[in-house]
Amino acid sequence: DVKVTQSSRYLVKRTGEKVFLECVQDMDHENMFWYRQDPGLGLRLIYFSYDVKMKEKGDIPEGYSVSREKKERFSLILESASTNQTSMYLCASRPGGTGSTGELFFGEGSRLTVL
Amino acid sequence: TQLLEQSPQFLSIQEGENLTVYCNSSSVFSSLQWYRQEPGEGPVLLVTVVTGGEVKKLKRLTFQFGDARKDSSLHITAAQPGDTGLYLCAGANTGNQFYFGTGTSLTVIP
């Protein structure tokens, strides 16, 4: 079975803290994505990666950075967490190269609360 | 950003009723996907449509891609409590980037 694993289901952090959200996939997929999900706004793309050490900005990259040192792992970093980053964060992976339109496989999500 | 609006945002119906969820945009998409997300889980793909006017059926669910590839609909016949969840459409542009809709939260009451 396809598996995307997010390291933390629930996190509570304070304003200004550095936050790491980890995502690992076991399907050897080239493409990995980080979305945030907020009620009434659907899923918004933060960053994505088509290959190791490669990253591209999505629609809302401000306040976030990412790291992809290994093919199976894609990390989302909040350098200085703010209250408006309280949200559900979803990691996804997808097979194929840059032209792939295949299925997105999602993790279970990480709910972050910033106080 | 290519905006995808879904309607209605919330829907609560009795078991056995029919319903339709709409996904609309002013942008043309090369393909469109529908996902369902249950509480505490990530979204799971239901279907992909790629041709304008295409209709796909998945048991009691019928998906249609608009002729102009700007909109889509999901129709559920005789809804069951197991259909409860958040339904999300996602459109792919020519660069194969997926843009998600605003979501429709469906509750089917036994």
Side-chain angles (χ1 to χ4, degrees), chain A residues 34-54:
Chain A
W34 275 105
Y35 293 89
R36 66 175 280 176
Q37 182 174 28
D38 300 288
L41 296 178
L43 275 65
R44 291 179 292 167
L45 182 61
I46 305 171
Y47 267 97
F48 59 99
S49 169
Y50 287 136
D51 202 351
V52 175
K53 296 191 184 295
M54 178 274 181

Side-chain angles (χ1 to χ4, degrees), chain A:
Chain A
D1 261 0
V2 163
K3 191 74 174 175
V4 177
T5 303
Q6 294 185 228
S7 55
S8 304
R9 293 295 301 272
Y10 300 95
L11 301 94
V12 180
K13 297 291 182 180
R14 298 218 173 260
T15 300
E17 282 192 87
K18 191 169 186 176
V19 182
F20 291 89
L21 298 178
E22 303 284 339
C23 175
V24 178
Q25 50 99 0
D26 64 359
M27 300 159 284
D28 202 35
H29 287 169
E30 288 82 358
N31 309 297
M32 295 189 75
F33 306 82
W34 275 105
Y35 293 89
R36 66 175 280 176
Q37 182 174 28
D38 300 288
L41 296 178
L43 275 65
R44 291 179 292 167
L45 182 61
I46 305 171
Y47 267 97
F48 59 99
S49 169
Y50 287 136
D51 202 351
V52 175
K53 296 191 184 295
M54 178 274 181
K55 60 185 178 184
E56 293 284 345
K57 293 180 180 179
D59 296 321
I60 52 165
E62 295 78 18
Y64 304 95
S65 63
V66 290
S67 172
R68 193 166 181 201
E69 296 296 318
K70 294 184 178 181
K71 188 176 185 179
E72 67 270 19
R73 188 179 298 269
F74 193 35
S75 303
L76 181 68
I77 303 152
L78 288 68
E79 293 288 343
S80 178
S82 62
T83 55
N84 63 12
Q85 293 178 308
T86 291
S87 187
M88 170 69 84
Y89 290 87
L90 288 164
C91 174
S93 71
R94 189 178 75 198
T98 55
S100 171
T101 59
E103 177 179 358
L104 284 164
F105 295 87
F106 284 89
E108 293 179 321
S110 299
R111 183 165 293 283
L112 172 66
T113 301
V114 183
L115 302 175

